[in-house]
Amino acid sequence: MEYLFMINFIQPSKENMIRVAITDDKINNRKVIADKLSCNSLITLVFEAVNGDDFLTQLRALPENKRPHIVLMDLEMPEIDGVATIGTASSLYPDIKFVVLTIFDDDDKIFKSICAGAEGYILKHTSPAEILESIKEIYLGGSPMTPSIANRVLNMVKEKESRQKIKN
């Protein structure tokens, strides 16, 4: 947590800004998130995409030094959904970190997202300030999760461990 405190003292410049992309099929969701991000001098919005195909197309067009550090990715989208997009992009661009930003909190979507390469999972009802903190956290090497999602992940791990003990 001390790193989150320290990041607030970095003098913003084009070289040290956190580059973020947003992928969501709903224009209102993208606009709200983009507006909130624009208020933070440490974050620059690289691009917005309407689905996974659009995201991958825009990402391929960027030089390496212009690619996003972090992508806020919705799950349910037409053409290529978030899980498939994260899986493809994580293998092609391993330095990019993906945070799922969705309304879905079911175990299957959480598990598939993490297996595909998501390093964070936050729900859309999360406050703008918490979304900004999540971006800073993942940038510094953390794995931000809405508390209820973290609880579900821990329960999934415990259940798997219990099943393993029973098996053995």
Side-chain angles (χ1 to χ4, degrees):
M1 283 300 194
E2 63 192 41
Y3 294 111
L4 293 179
F5 179 72
M6 288 172 49
I7 199 167
N8 290 324
F9 291 104
I10 296 172
Q11 290 297 327
S13 70
K14 287 187 178 190
E15 292 79 35
N16 66 9
M17 292 183 78
I18 302 171
R19 296 186 303 271
V20 176
I22 302 167
T23 304
D24 194 310
D25 60 322
K26 309 270 187 308
I27 190 167
N28 289 340
N29 291 345
R30 292 193 315 271
K31 182 172 177 11
V32 167
I33 297 165
D35 287 348
K36 300 303 176 193
L37 296 181
S38 70
C39 296
N40 189 295
S41 61
L42 290 175
I43 296 173
T44 185
L45 183 61
V46 178
F47 65 82
E48 298 176 33
V50 299
N51 58 43
D53 185 49
D54 183 31
F55 169 79
L56 292 168
T57 299
Q58 290 190 59
L59 189 58
R60 284 185 195 108
L62 291 174
E64 186 175 346
N65 66 339
K66 301 290 184 190
R67 292 182 191 142
H69 297 110
I70 298 157
V71 178
L72 301 176
M73 180 72 64
D74 187 26
L75 291 181
E76 294 272 321
M77 297 179 290
E79 295 183 42
I80 303 177
D81 71 12
V83 172
T85 304
I86 291 168
T88 299
S90 291
S91 63
L92 295 173
Y93 308 98
D95 293 337
I96 297 175
K97 301 193 180 300
F98 292 87
V99 177
V100 171
L101 182 60
T102 187
I103 60 171
F104 300 104
D105 65 352
D106 60 277
D107 292 353
D108 188 53
K109 290 198 187 306
I110 297 167
F111 182 75
K112 286 180 179 176
S113 298
I114 292 170
C115 288
E119 296 185 41
Y121 198 109
I122 54 180
L123 298 176
K124 285 186 178 175
H125 67 69
T126 303
S127 74
E130 290 174 306
I131 292 172
L132 289 171
E133 284 305 308
S134 294
I135 290 169
K136 292 176 189 177
E137 183 179 339
I138 198 166
Y139 183 74
L140 294 170
S143 293
M145 290 189 191
T146 301
S148 63
I149 298 300
N151 187 305
R152 293 181 83 107
V153 169
L154 290 173
N155 286 333
M156 282 190 275
V157 171
K158 288 177 191 175
E159 287 172 17
K160 183 178 178 184
E161 185 65 27
S162 293
R163 286 193 299 267
Q164 290 287 9
K165 285 181 181 178
I166 292 170
K167 238 182 181 179
N168 296 332

